[in-house]
Amino acid sequence: MRIQFATFGSQTIRYAECGPENASQAILLFNGIGANVETAAAFMGQFRGTRVITFDVPGVGESPTPLFPYRYFHMARLAAKLLDHLGINAVDVFGVSWGGGLAQQFAHDFRHRVNRLVLAATSAGMAMVPGRVHVLSKLLTPKRYSDPEFMTRIGPEMYGGLLRENEELMAEHLDAISHSSPRGYVFQLLAISGWTSWHWLPRLDMPTLVIMGDDDPIVPKVNGQILVSRLPNAELISIECGHLFIVTLPQETASLVEDFLNRNDVSAG
């Protein structure tokens, strides 16, 4: 990963890239809540001939926490500024979990910059079937990102899938996590408070792939069916894992994405 910093106005962000800078195809990746760029490294590295870009949202990883809370549309604008900084006009957009909502917002606000859209382990926001209450309650605290022992204890039940039994995978995920500020985590929660894409999803007409985990305690896979029912040009794939399949099955997930992109060879605008 090539890691650098860029400043836009009063906000500095840390961003990362994989793949050749002169690649004809680029993917903009929006990560999950509290997740720094390193947590997506294995997944990003699977796209050998594609330029993949992601960034620590403000308050996560090494991007400083802003003074005031923000909404998804603020982060969509920030992402657009990053693309401008990198000299990239149009991209394929990949969003996972919290980042899946941001991916939808970016596709809505900057339709002309989005070729194709991939939504992983995510939902339409407030218009969703919620996960298990005792699991969702653990999402309200950033402790899982600052206390490895706590994460080791609650991770298998929280994320499901292969993490239920594979301690090595959980340890690798923990190694990639860097501490985020508690205020930054709260700001991410506030960004999605009351948000939904339900009413404008039919306007997202780009080819869209929705990938859901069969054993996802946080975002049940029925939410993928809800997304596909609202999106005019979407398909749904289930993967035999839990919520963090881009971490536990990076190669398999990337193969699904690449197959989808190859079958839908279009350009924005």
Side-chain angles (χ1 to χ4, degrees):
M1 297 180 76
R2 304 182 299 277
I3 296 178
Q4 300 183 65
F5 290 83
T7 300
F8 308 106
S10 62
Q11 182 65 55
T12 296
I13 62 167
R14 174 176 178 255
Y15 68 93
E17 297 182 78
C18 283
E21 293 185 32
N22 62 349
S24 60
Q25 182 172 293
I27 296 174
L28 174 62
L29 187 154
F30 293 114
N31 215 341
I33 189 168
N36 51 293
V37 298
E38 286 83 358
T39 61
F43 175 68
M44 293 171 65
Q46 303 299 321
F47 299 89
R48 300 298 181 185
T50 302
R51 187 179 185 184
V52 187
I53 304 112
T54 191
F55 63 97
D56 289 339
V57 300
V60 172
E62 295 183 35
S63 290
T65 306
L67 292 176
F68 304 105
Y70 54 81
R71 301 291 287 177
Y72 266 155
F73 70 87
H74 294 114
M75 290 301 99
R77 293 174 186 172
L78 189 63
K81 290 177 181 179
L82 176 59
L83 293 182
D84 291 340
H85 173 74
L86 296 172
I88 300 173
N89 179 39
V91 292
D92 296 312
V93 174
F94 180 99
V96 56
S97 193
W98 183 93
L102 180 50
Q104 294 168 62
Q105 187 72 54
F106 184 87
H108 173 265
D109 295 351
F110 298 94
R111 170 64 186 94
H112 62 289
R113 306 192 73 160
V114 179
N115 293 332
R116 293 154 295 194
L117 178 64
V118 181
L119 304 174
T122 194
S123 72
M126 293 294 291
M128 72 172 291
V129 176
R132 301 167 191 171
V133 174
H134 67 284
V135 169
L136 295 179
S137 65
K138 296 179 175 65
L139 285 174
L140 298 178
T141 172
K143 185 178 180 181
R144 61 196 169 109
Y145 287 109
S146 60
D147 186 342
E149 185 177 327
F150 179 74
M151 175 69 106
T152 300
R153 187 171 68 254
I154 63 102
E157 180 185 15
M158 184 174 188
Y159 296 121
L162 297 177
L163 291 178
R164 290 191 188 277
E165 301 176 354
N166 195 319
E167 295 181 359
E168 184 177 342
L169 284 174
M170 178 58 72
E172 291 175 359
H173 182 53
L174 284 170
D175 286 341
I177 293 174
S178 64
H179 177 57
S180 301
S181 77
R183 190 159 56 97
Y185 192 88
V186 170
F187 282 1
Q188 281 194 278
L189 291 174
L190 291 175
I192 60 173
S193 176
W195 176 89
T196 183
S197 59
W198 171 264
H199 52 294
W200 45 254
L201 278 176
R203 298 202 291 271
L204 302 187
D205 60 349
M206 69 284 292
T208 302
L209 173 65
V210 179
I211 311 175
M212 304 297 292
D214 284 330
D215 178 27
D216 188 340
I218 298 174
V219 186
K221 68 177 182 178
V222 65
N223 289 287
Q225 297 171 355
I226 293 172
L227 287 171
V228 169
S229 73
R230 298 289 291 169
L231 290 160
N233 191 14
E235 60 183 276
L236 174 64
I237 292 179
S238 295
I239 194 166
E240 293 184 6
C241 196
H243 190 68
L244 289 185
F245 48 80
I246 75 162
V247 172
T248 57
L249 296 171
Q251 183 177 7
E252 293 86 344
T253 306
S255 294
L256 290 175
V257 174
E258 287 189 314
D259 178 66
F260 165 74
L261 297 180
N262 290 335
R263 287 187 289 104
N264 294 272
D265 188 11
V266 299
S267 297

